[in-house]
Amino acid sequence: MNGYDFTFAGERLTALGSGALWWGARRLLCVSDLHLGKSERIARRGGTPLPPYEVADTLDRLSADLERTRPNTVICLGDSFDDTEAAHVLPEPARLRIAALQAGRRWIWIEGNHDPGPVTMGGSHLAELATGPLLFRHIARHGAQGEISGHYHPKAALRLRGRSLSRPAFLVDTARIVLPAYGTYTGGLRSDAPVLAQLMRPEALAIVTGATPHAVPMPR
């Protein structure tokens, strides 16, 4: 599997190159910040139109991860839709595709700040979920332990052959994991931003996504 294995809260986890988190012992796949319907929401609000392919592209990558891992449980860790209206007006082909991805497995929508209301699709809608030693929620809270969250769309800035590159990254310390955004068109926040530098402990790592995920000390 294309991923970086590490231990967190006594559990063996894998950061996949796609930005998904795999918990093999529970056969659980977690993704965050899909922001499905972003192009529709921008057009609805009169913004500069974006190519309307982000829903299909995001679901293509999610489908590939589901095929690769074959999870029993999927957690979408908040901001799965760009706003609540985007969930309601999602085109029927996309809704049917999500239903097909949900079939035969437990599917949990964690509420985010963009999509706080229940979605009109299958699965469970929860504010947060505690299972085993891990707690899944959308936005990290200071003082938490064993916490897995999203929201910030973290990226790590790296120097490679004299060039500066920025890649989506998992941020990991002994208390929490912050997942990168999974969706297309989501953008990101560099790990040296004050909110992330203050949130993450000094020993924090950035696990950079891509063809070969790898860990570096979190750039600050």
Side-chain angles (χ1 to χ4, degrees), residues 35-47 54 82-86 89 114:
H35 283 274
L36 298 172
K38 183 170 185 175
S39 57
E40 183 279 328
R41 191 265 303 170
I42 289 174
R44 178 178 4 112
R45 297 187 179 183
E54 41 89 13
D82 210 52
D83 63 8
T84 303
E85 181 65 18
V89 302
H114 278 251

Side-chain angles (χ1 to χ4, degrees), residues 20-196:
L21 183 69
W22 173 239
W23 186 2
R26 299 289 180 104
R27 301 210 61 79
L28 185 155
L29 186 76
C30 181
V31 294
S32 190
D33 295 274
L34 304 179
H35 283 274
L36 298 172
K38 183 170 185 175
S39 57
E40 183 279 328
R41 191 265 303 170
I42 289 174
R44 178 178 4 112
R45 297 187 179 183
T48 302
L50 294 172
Y53 309 123
E54 41 89 13
V55 172
D57 187 69
T58 300
L59 294 181
D60 282 347
R61 288 183 288 107
L62 181 55
S63 178
D65 276 339
L66 295 176
E67 181 66 25
R68 183 179 302 115
T69 59
R70 299 188 179 277
N72 295 330
T73 301
V74 175
I75 297 177
C76 295
L77 203 56
D79 287 3
S80 300
F81 301 90
D82 210 52
D83 63 8
T84 303
E85 181 65 18
H88 294 323
V89 302
L90 198 68
E92 188 66 14
R95 299 175 72 88
L96 291 174
R97 189 168 185 195
I98 290 172
L101 296 178
Q102 293 175 323
R105 51 178 57 102
R106 184 186 184 202
W107 194 283
I108 300 166
W109 305 102
I110 299 294
E111 68 179 36
N113 58 299
H114 278 251
D115 53 359
V119 296
T120 55
M121 279 170 251
S124 304
H125 186 89
L126 302 175
E128 58 185 42
L129 173 69
T131 180
L134 304 185
L135 174 64
F136 295 85
R137 60 164 58 111
H138 182 58
I139 303 177
R141 297 180 188 172
H142 287 279
Q145 293 288 331
E147 178 188 76
I148 299 177
S149 65
H151 179 64
Y152 291 110
H153 305 192
K155 289 189 171 185
L158 307 173
R159 297 288 297 179
L160 181 64
R161 297 174 185 156
R163 298 175 56 197
S164 179
L165 302 175
S166 181
R167 295 285 302 174
F170 299 79
L171 303 184
V172 180
D173 64 20
T174 54
R176 64 176 44 84
I177 302 170
V178 182
L179 269 63
Y182 193 86
T184 304
Y185 298 162
T186 47
L189 182 66
R190 283 173 44 143
S191 62
D192 58 1
V195 65
L196 292 175

Side-chain angles (χ1 to χ4, degrees), residues 189-210:
L189 182 66
R190 283 173 44 143
S191 62
D192 58 1
V195 65
L196 292 175
Q198 294 167 13
L199 179 67
M200 303 304 296
R201 294 180 174 181
E203 76 276 8
L205 298 176
I207 303 174
V208 181
T209 61

Side-chain angles (χ1 to χ4, degrees), residues 2-6 13-22 170 172 207 209 213:
N2 171 26
Y4 181 90
D5 296 329
F6 63 101
L13 305 178
T14 303
L16 302 183
S18 63
L21 183 69
W22 173 239
F170 299 79
V172 180
I207 303 174
T209 61

